[in-house]
Amino acid sequence: MAVDTSTPAPTEDERSAQVSIGTRLLQRPEIGALMGAVLVFAFFTLITDQFGSLAGAARWTDFAATLGIMAVAVSMLMIGGEFDLSAGVMVGSSGLVFGFLITELGLNAWLAIPVVLALAAVVGMANGLLVMRTGLPSFIVTLGTFFVLRGANAGVTLLLTGTVRVDGLPAADGFSSAEMVFASTFGAPYNFRVTVLWWILAAAVATWVLTRTRIGNWIYAVGGDANAARNVGVPVAATKIGLFMTTAMAGALVGIMTALRLGSVQANEGVGREFEFIIAAVVGGCLLTGGFGSAVGASIGALIMGMALAGIPFAGWDSNWRFLFLGVILLLAVLVNNAVRKRAEGARR
Amino acid sequence: MNAADAAEPLLEMRNVSKYFGNVTALKEVSTTIAAGQVTCVLGDNGAGKSTFIKILSGVHAYDEGQVFVGGRLVRLSSPREARAIGIATVFQDLATVPLMSVWRNFFLGSEPTVGWGPFRRFDVGTAKRVVREELGKMGIDVRDPDQPVGTLSGGERQAVAIARAVYFGAKVLILDEPTSALGVKQAGVVLRYVVAAAERGVGVIFITHNPHHAFPVGDRFMILKRGRTLTDKPKDEITRDEIVRAMSGGAELDQLAHELGDRTAVERGSPA
């Protein structure tokens, strides 16, 4: 029989002291990702010249920013216990709708933005209602939405424009001022992307919601144990539907940003990126089973991926190596998360 | 005790029946629940214990009879309604989320807030302080309110759920088999919390199939069998053996004990 050396001493002071700073850190979801980020940064700084410079930083934060905005929303959804495979293609759909509204219909860009966000919210609500009403896994429901949107993006674009892209966005009313807000650069001559600021804002708001509001408490609860949450009066369906809507609207925001930046939108924009968002969230410590994770962690996950996406071409390697890299860090992250979960859930009966 | 006797009972059931199709789940059950008392509801599987809880906790509506809460006739149609009039149920699955901290679990669904408009936020400071105080009143010393509930023992988790129900104004607290999944030592710990809740003036309904857990803490014992009340007596009118015998139906138990006795005797005779 093993002697339980961890048995707490009888006085309260000594017991409190037992929770060391190290133990507390290990309970944080983002700690693994933070160490990973430091390693990846050190690696690319050592093997390339530009990576560690400000110009290099402007480049990898650019890659990380839009990914990060999505990863923050997707991480909240994952903490709430659900997936959204349509999040990537949603970026394309929103960009296309935004493009049609300001070119074909001649709408002012500033009017088109709320319309696109509202449409995305409707798609998110449809995802959420389907999942909650049917009780089917969100994996399957949103896989359906993914193909519906993907087909509609290509089909509708071809019908309206006769090509596979929407062009001529910069001629629209309000384009240049919207571009200033959503797609400009700052910090010349390094030219950091303004999307980085949006990313930081998204992470800050999400962190505040998750850790300091009632809704945040409900998000962790519906992902951790939906039945228990329902028993104590948490509105489970409303919370989850709200998360699907948030994710779809984040997709719309990124879609609008991309459209403003490029001045045109490809019909296949965003397809396949949904996995990048999920990988960023998982690398940042979100559990696939829900109930655990953080927006800061997901942001660090996005940063790691941004560094890899920028660092691999800096090092002169073929960009296809990034998939191998993503696969490896995903597997490592899942192994670390699994250990963390066992630690947190293992009951001492 | 005299004060409690003189006052209106917290809850009274008169000839309550419940049918599921042509199955009689509960037939003409009557009882009263008084403040500060532990009423033990015992019965074997299928005796009607679950139906009894579900009627009081608002999951099922009863078909016949009357239920009075605080002297007022009620017919509950949802768990939310039951909670609103002070009937809290701690279910077997505990209603706690293992990965969340003790203080987050304690206030889940009823979070205290400060601030205004979009800046209205979860009052974390108050939550942590209240958790420490309330668990302290139940005799539980939380080492760290930030630790996930999953790292607590089964008994401690049960205690968090009980303390939460009491804090949120439960006048009647229904505990569904709180000791059934626990070891002997942990069950003893939970029984202490059951008594602690009653001492704070709550009318506790303790559902169990274990007479040895019920007898030390109960003030009144109600035994259900096949949906009917077999016995409903205060502690001074009943013994532990009577409860055991009534639950399993005296003669049947003797017969069973006899058979099992023979069987074990035979098995002991052969090498394992």
Side-chain angles (χ1 to χ4, degrees):
Chain A
M1 197 185 107
V3 178
D4 187 8
T5 48
S6 70
T7 302
T11 63
E12 199 197 36
D13 285 340
E14 280 171 26
R15 295 209 284 181
S16 306
Q18 275 217 331
V19 185
S20 70
I21 289 173
T23 310
R24 239 188 229 296
L25 272 179
L26 281 176
Q27 283 172 350
R28 300 295 315 161
E30 51 283 277
I31 192 71
L34 190 62
M35 293 191 295
V38 171
L39 276 179
V40 173
F41 178 79
F43 176 73
F44 283 114
T45 305
L46 284 176
I47 66 162
T48 70
D49 296 333
Q50 309 121 294
F51 194 84
S53 69
L54 276 175
R59 193 116 164 82
W60 45 263
T61 53
D62 177 19
F63 278 110
T66 48
L67 182 58
I69 294 170
M70 290 308 293
V72 164
V74 167
S75 71
M76 291 175 84
L77 182 66
M78 279 179 67
I79 293 168
E82 303 293 341
F83 276 107
D84 188 356
L85 292 181
S86 68
V89 79
M90 193 67 217
V91 171
S93 299
S94 312
L96 290 167
V97 171
F98 178 70
F100 292 137
L101 287 176
I102 65 173
T103 57
E104 307 274 323
L105 296 184
L107 215 60
N108 186 298
W110 288 105
L111 275 175
I113 289 168
V115 172
V116 172
L117 287 173
L119 285 173
V122 171
V123 174
M125 188 187 256
N127 273 338
L129 281 172
L130 268 173
V131 170
M132 296 316 293
R133 285 284 160 81
T134 60
L136 289 168
S138 51
F139 193 86
I140 287 300
V141 171
T142 59
L143 186 64
T145 321
F146 165 74
F147 278 104
V148 167
L149 290 178
R150 185 180 178 176
N153 286 359
V156 173
T157 308
L158 198 61
L159 273 181
L160 288 178
T161 67
T163 66
V164 290
R165 55 189 285 154
V166 183
D167 269 322
L169 272 62
D173 289 338
F175 183 91
S176 51
S177 57
E179 186 188 18
M180 182 96 106
V181 174
F182 293 107
S184 59
T185 59
F186 65 98
Y190 307 111
N191 293 331
F192 281 88
R193 283 277 159 186
V194 74
T195 43
V196 175
L197 300 181
W198 282 96
W199 171 30
I200 293 168
L201 180 71
V205 170
T207 300
W208 186 73
V209 168
L210 282 173
T211 60
R212 285 291 175 268
T213 68
R214 302 188 68 181
I215 290 171
N217 217 31
W218 297 350
I219 292 171
Y220 281 103
V222 298
D225 188 340
N227 252 331
R230 199 172 284 119
N231 276 342
V232 296
V234 173
V236 174
T239 305
K240 290 199 175 194
I241 291 170
L243 289 171
F244 277 108
M245 292 170 71
T246 308
T247 307
M249 286 166 77
L253 181 65
V254 171
I256 291 165
M257 286 170 167
T258 312
L260 287 167
R261 176 170 176 177
L262 302 175
S264 68
V265 188
Q266 299 284 343
N268 66 351
E269 174 73 41
V271 172
R273 296 202 68 194
E274 56 283 336
F275 289 115
E276 294 179 18
F277 310 150
I278 293 172
I279 293 172
V282 171
V283 168
C286 291
L287 290 180
L288 290 157
T289 43
F292 193 73
S294 76
V296 172
S299 296
I300 299 173
L303 192 66
I304 292 178
M305 293 172 68
M307 289 196 288
L309 293 179
I312 286 169
F314 276 170
W317 302 334
D318 187 88
S319 65
N320 281 313
W321 286 106
R322 72 180 190 273
F323 294 117
L324 186 140
F325 175 85
L326 291 186
V328 170
I329 58 166
L330 177 62
L331 288 175
L332 287 177
V334 172
L335 291 175
V336 171
N337 290 354
N338 205 23
V340 169
R341 183 198 172 90
K342 280 196 182 132
R343 231 185 142 84
E345 256 193 345
R348 294 181 287 110
R349 276 175 196 275
Chain B
M1 204 48 72
N2 283 334
D5 285 343
E8 193 88 37
L10 282 176
L11 187 148
E12 187 177 1
M13 262 182 149
R14 282 187 205 156
N15 298 321
V16 168
S17 303
K18 173 73 190 174
Y19 309 98
F20 294 104
N22 53 10
V23 177
T24 306
L26 217 55
K27 184 73 180 168
E28 290 168 5
V29 169
S30 303
T31 194
T32 56
I33 308 297
Q37 288 209 353
V38 179
T39 304
C40 295
V41 179
L42 297 118
D44 208 349
N45 294 338
K49 298 191 305 270
S50 297
T51 311
F52 180 84
I53 309 170
K54 284 176 178 169
I55 286 173
L56 290 181
S57 62
V59 178
H60 295 320
Y62 53 90
D63 293 322
E64 288 165 9
Q66 293 162 314
V67 173
F68 296 91
V69 177
R72 205 164 53 85
L73 181 65
V74 294
R75 199 179 140 87
L76 300 167
S77 56
S78 77
R80 193 176 277 272
E81 209 180 312
R83 268 200 304 275
I85 61 169
I87 301 175
T89 309
V90 175
F91 285 102
Q92 244 164 350
D93 55 20
L94 296 176
T96 54
V97 182
L99 284 167
M100 290 171 78
S101 66
V102 174
W103 61 272
R104 281 187 178 273
N105 262 294
F106 193 93
F107 285 99
L108 185 56
S110 318
E111 296 84 354
T113 54
V114 286
W116 156 94
F119 300 104
R120 207 159 74 107
R121 59 196 182 274
F122 192 168
D123 189 350
V124 175
T126 303
K128 288 187 183 177
R129 183 174 51 75
V130 170
V131 164
R132 227 177 243 287
E133 283 171 11
E134 290 301 310
L135 292 181
K137 283 184 205 165
M138 301 281 297
I140 312 153
D141 178 18
V142 223
R143 289 174 289 274
D144 173 17
D146 274 315
Q147 79 185 98
V149 161
T151 61
L152 299 177
S153 69
E156 286 172 319
R157 266 186 279 173
Q158 195 67 247
V160 170
I162 294 172
R164 172 169 68 186
V166 173
Y167 175 75
F168 285 109
K171 295 194 202 83
V172 177
L173 178 62
I174 305 170
L175 303 172
D176 179 17
E177 307 255 1
T179 54
S180 65
L182 302 177
V184 177
K185 205 171 163 189
Q186 289 291 337
V189 172
V190 170
L191 293 177
R192 276 214 340 259
Y193 303 142
V194 171
V195 174
E199 278 169 358
R200 292 175 66 185
V202 178
V204 179
I205 302 176
F206 176 23
I207 286 110
T208 180
H209 59 246
N210 189 332
H212 306 290
H213 289 166
F215 196 74
V217 297
D219 295 301
R220 190 173 184 87
F221 300 90
M222 179 176 166
I223 300 164
L224 295 175
K225 192 175 186 195
R226 293 168 175 253
R228 290 170 188 272
T229 314
L230 197 66
T231 310
D232 186 5
K233 286 181 179 169
K235 189 168 197 165
D236 49 14
E237 291 175 21
I238 197 163
T239 66
R240 188 189 302 237
D241 282 349
E242 277 178 283
I243 298 173
V244 175
R245 291 178 67 81
M247 266 182 76
S248 44
E252 287 170 42
L253 186 74
D254 287 342
Q255 178 67 29
L256 188 68
H258 190 65
E259 282 172 23
L260 287 174
D262 288 347
R263 195 177 155 75
T264 46
V266 172
E267 276 178 1
R268 276 194 199 111
S270 64

